[in-house]
Every structure is written in C-alpha cells, then in structure tokens.
Amino acid sequence: MQHQGGMGSQGNCVCVSCGAVKGHQPGKPCKDERCPKCGKVMVREGSEHHLLYLKKQEEKGKKA
Ligand SMILES: [Zn+2]
Ligand SMILES: [Zn+2]
C-alpha cells in the first residue's frame, strides 16, 4: 500500500455503511459529510474509524 502525501487537505471520505467513496472537502469534517448513496455519515479514508471498520468487516468474514 502506498502512502501519498499524508493527511493534509487531500484524501477521501468513505461511507462505512455502503462503501461509497467521495473526495474529502478541506475544512469540512468527514463526519459532517453525508453519503451520496445511503445518507449515512462518512469517515476519513485511512482514519482510525475507517481502519476499525475494516477490521470489523474482516472479523465478520471469518465467522461465516
Ligand atoms: Zn453509504
Ligand atoms: Zn472527508
């Protein structure tokens, strides 16, 4: 996995509900963004919340 630039004004917001991704808007917290598809709150791609979500998904997959 490549790291591009760090957590500046670049990046994406990710919906942990449906997986939709959209460009992060500088100065606007991801949690204030709403998913264009399902309307749920979004998180910053690569953030603690996002990684936590990915981890949960992994655990779900193991159970099946
Ligand atoms: Zn969504
Ligand atoms: Zn964002």
Side-chain angles (χ1 to χ4, degrees):
M1 204 183 279
Q2 285 186 336
H3 219 246
Q4 294 174 333
M7 300 279 282
S9 57
Q10 308 272 321
N12 290 315
C13 315
V14 182
C15 175
V16 294
S17 193
C18 74
V21 175
K22 71 173 191 174
H24 175 71
Q25 297 201 30
K28 190 170 184 183
C30 297
K31 61 183 172 61
D32 285 353
E33 296 276 359
R34 287 294 183 275
C35 173
K37 286 188 185 174
C38 73
K40 297 265 176 75
V41 293
M42 304 189 82
V43 301
R44 185 66 173 268
E45 188 174 44
S47 71
E48 200 176 319
H49 284 112
H50 186 219
L51 296 178
L52 206 66
Y53 159 75
L54 293 177
K55 201 174 172 187
K56 273 185 191 172
Q57 291 301 101
E58 226 172 71
E59 282 166 9
K60 270 188 197 171
K62 280 177 194 167
K63 276 183 191 171

